[in-house]
Each structure stands twice: as C-alpha cells, then as structure tokens.
Amino acid sequence: MDYKISIVLDKRRKLNNNEYPVKVRLWSNQLKKAKRFTTGMSMMESDYDSSWESDVKPHKLKGKNKENYQRLQYLYDRAEDAAESMDFLDFDLFAQKLFRKASDKTSVIYHFNKTIHGFRKKGRIGAAESYNSAMVSLLKFENQRTKGNKETLSFMEVTPKWLEDYESYMIDDKGRSVTTVAIYTRTLRVIFNNAIGDNDLDKRYYPFGRKKYEIPEEKKVKKTLIREQVSLLYHAKLPYLQERARDYWFFSYSCNGMNFKDIAMLRFENIENGQISYYREKTKIKKRTNKKKISFKLNNVSHRILDRYKTDYRGEKSFVFPILEDGDSPEIIYRKVNNWIRATNQQLKHIAKEFDFPKGFSTYWARHSFSSNMVNMGASIEFVSEALNHSDISTTQHYFDGFEEGTKNELMEKLMDF
C-alpha cells in the first residue's frame, strides 16, 4: 500500500501545560492527501526533539528520553499494523483500527458494534436493530453457558459445538423458532466474514459450513390466500379499521406484491399517467449498480385505494400516503413504518379469525399471494420473478406455495384429453 506514517507534534495549538498534542499523520500517495489523528498524548517540544527527533541512536537513549521514545515507537508500530491490515486505504477504518483495544481485533461484540454503527450511519435502522438483537441473544447465551457476566465474546470461543449448543438453548430452553435461530446465526456468519475481510481473523476459526456448523433450514410456512379467499376478503363488509387494513393489503396485492415499506415511502413523483415507477428501498441500500426500476400500470383496485387514502398534494417529493412526513429522519421512518405495519397486522388478525383464514395472516402474505396466484393462473415463474424484482429466480420459487387443487385437477384433465 502506498502510504507514509509519521508521528508529529502539532505545534498549531499549545495546551495549557505548555505541551503540544502528539498526532499520527497518515499520507496517502494515491489520494494525494494527508490526515492527522489525535492520540490523546502530548509532549513538550524539547522532550519530543530529544527523544523522537534525536540524532542519538534509540538504544543509547536514557531515562526520560528513552521512555518517551518507547511510547512514541509503540504508537508508530500500532499505526503501521493498522495500515498494513487494510486492503485499501480508508482514513475512517484506519482510525478504528488504530484506537481500538488489542482485544477488539478478535471480539465478536466489537465487530457487531462496528457493523451496527455502520448501518446507523447509512440510515439502515432496521438492519441495525436486527444485528443488535442477534448480538444481545448470543451474549446472553454465552453468559448463561459460563454462568458469568461477560461483556465480550471472542471469535475463538464460537466453535461448531458452541453454535450447536446455542441452537439447542434457543429452541429447547427459550422456545424460539428455527427461523429465529437461522436469522441470528446468519447474522453471526456475516460478522465472521467481516472480521476475516478486515484481516482481523484467520480463516481457520470460521465455524460455518459442511463438517462444521450448518445453519438450520427454515421450514417453509404457507403464506398464501388462494383466490377464493382473496375474493372473500375483497367483498367483505368490515369495520373501518379492518377495512383500511384490508385496503392497504390489496394495494400491495394489486401492485405486483409491493413491499409495505415501499408503499409507505411512495412519493407523488413515483406516479405519472396512471403508472407507478420506483426503486425498492431494499435495493437502494444494498446494490450500488444494476438498480432496476419497477414500473407497472395501476388497475381499478389500486386506483380506488390510492384515491381514497392519498394525502393532499404538496409537491412531487411529498409522500403519497399519510404514514410518513417530509423531514422524517431514518430513525423516525423506521419507527413509523414498523408501527403502521404492526397496527395493520393487528387488524388483519381480527379478519383472519372472522373468516377462518390461516394463522399468521399478515401484510407479508400479499406478496406471497400475488406470486402464487399468478402462477396458478398460468403466469411463468420468470414473469413473476420480474414482477417481484427478484435478482434470482430461486427466491421467487421460495415464494410459490404450490398449485391449488383445482389447478392440478384441471392440468390432469388436459393431460388425458386426447
């Protein structure tokens, strides 16, 4: 890496004790840029000159000069180690590596917190909350296992056996689902990969994969209303709150299974000439290239719901539905969207009980119901995959809950129709 590190005395500002701050200066030849990093150390100019800038060989320094030289050399070595561990020069990452404790390098909790901080900085509040939940759960298990009160966890402690015990603890002791275990352990796998990618962890400590720990597969749960149930829901006479929840569900269902967060984030600029065009919030964050815009025509159902619930037009950038407000921060958007989905799901539960729909009926079922019913009506998996904006057709296949009995019987009749 093309860089230069030096320990400098910042003479631009003298402290009250007549000392100057000691800083690490990192120069990038590629960026043609230098940055100074505050270390918390300070020295008199004479002490700095007689130790670090001295013509005397380091091993011949004595007394205070020798102590000062050792302190500055240790700082220099740490800076070199931090710079060498990076695949490409990044000033922020350099600062993180330089000023962390030695034990942070192999700490699961440190790397979790680093990732969570990165998510929050980018406005990915949902991801930050999800990773934080996983971190808390893993540390709780470690403290239960060791009967201690630890605040950290080393990568070396997380072995395949440790993960198997964690899975048993979550399912047998805590009564949590396999799905939750899968989510939390996949999150931990990302943290391992991040640490290896940062050159903080050797690959031999990686506990996932064949002949090691395999993340449990989530049992596929049916999340589809068949067409008869969709018809029943559409024509049902409901109290206002249930009716509103039903309408938002149908807006998603009739808009190619539009995700509820994307509905909340919809702006007037996304609607033109009876057509909705937008980028998924999920892909805005995760993908920097090949972002695909989703476009489709509004139908009679989506038009009716849109006209009924949309807010007054206050400009192209204003939100369409009365869920969010202009100027909301990422934290407020996360809270408002979650509260809206939670309130909608509460009403959908009442509807499910009234009409004997499957347990777990929720907003997410609109997306699954759209995909499965489209296939049952003859649409190809490829068509549905494009409508859902999936990058991989295997994801779409996961959404498909199987053919209806009527469809299977119809196909069998056609098979024997000579």
Side-chain angles (χ1 to χ4, degrees), residues 119-224:
F119 283 144
R120 292 192 180 280
K121 193 174 179 180
K122 294 176 182 176
R124 296 182 61 185
I125 309 304
E129 292 295 328
S130 177
Y131 273 64
N132 187 70
S133 296
M135 179 182 69
V136 170
S137 174
L138 294 162
L139 193 55
K140 277 185 178 179
F141 166 67
E142 174 63 10
N143 280 314
Q144 186 270 345
R145 184 183 74 87
T146 60
K147 296 180 173 55
N149 191 28
K150 297 170 64 176
E151 294 182 356
T152 190
L153 172 65
S154 168
F155 282 112
M156 290 71 173
E157 294 175 286
V158 182
T159 62
K161 176 64 166 60
W162 190 98
L163 287 164
E164 289 168 4
D165 291 344
Y166 172 72
E167 181 180 324
S168 298
Y169 159 81
M170 288 289 283
I171 295 173
D172 300 335
D173 297 352
K174 293 296 182 181
R176 306 302 293 272
S177 67
V178 172
T179 300
T180 300
V181 175
I183 291 171
Y184 286 175
T185 50
R186 278 202 303 267
T187 300
L188 179 60
R189 184 174 62 186
V190 171
I191 297 301
F192 263 89
N193 286 325
N194 287 350
I196 291 170
D198 288 344
N199 296 317
D200 285 343
L201 184 68
D202 192 281
K203 288 182 180 179
R204 71 176 183 271
Y205 295 111
Y206 190 70
F208 299 95
R210 293 183 63 186
K211 297 183 180 179
K212 293 185 180 181
Y213 175 77
E214 294 192 36
I215 294 173
E217 291 187 9
E218 303 166 60
K219 184 179 178 182
K220 187 176 180 181
V221 179
K222 186 177 176 67
K223 297 177 182 177
T224 296

Side-chain angles (χ1 to χ4, degrees), residues 228-260:
E228 288 78 3
Q229 292 170 317
V230 173
S231 177
L232 177 62
L233 177 62
Y234 183 77
H235 294 289
K237 300 295 183 184
L238 301 170
Y240 174 71
L241 291 179
Q242 292 181 25
E243 181 183 37
R244 185 177 63 184
R246 184 265 312 273
D247 285 348
Y248 277 124
W249 191 94
F250 265 102
F251 189 81
S252 171
Y253 180 80
S254 62
C255 290
N256 292 11
M258 191 175 186
N259 181 274
F260 264 65

Side-chain angles (χ1 to χ4, degrees), residues 7 57 79 85 99 116 177 266 272 335 369-370 378 391 417:
I7 306 299
K57 298 288 185 182
S85 69
F99 297 116
I116 291 167
S177 67
L266 202 62
E272 187 175 1
R335 176 173 53 80
S369 299
F370 163 78
S391 58
D417 183 8

Side-chain angles (χ1 to χ4, degrees), residues 274-296:
Q275 180 165 302
I276 289 181
S277 299
Y278 71 101
Y279 291 104
R280 284 205 64 189
E281 289 299 312
K282 190 175 183 179
T283 58
K284 278 183 188 177
I285 294 168
K286 290 189 175 180
K287 298 178 181 177
R288 295 183 178 274
T289 59
N290 298 326
K291 292 181 182 178
K292 185 177 179 182
K293 180 175 280 190
I294 302 174
S295 297
F296 54 84

Side-chain angles (χ1 to χ4, degrees), residues 317-335:
K317 295 289 185 182
S318 59
F319 293 108
V320 173
F321 293 109
I323 301 160
L324 303 173
E325 296 178 11
D326 298 341
D328 281 348
S329 66
E331 290 80 7
I332 293 175
I333 288 174
Y334 173 78
R335 176 173 53 80

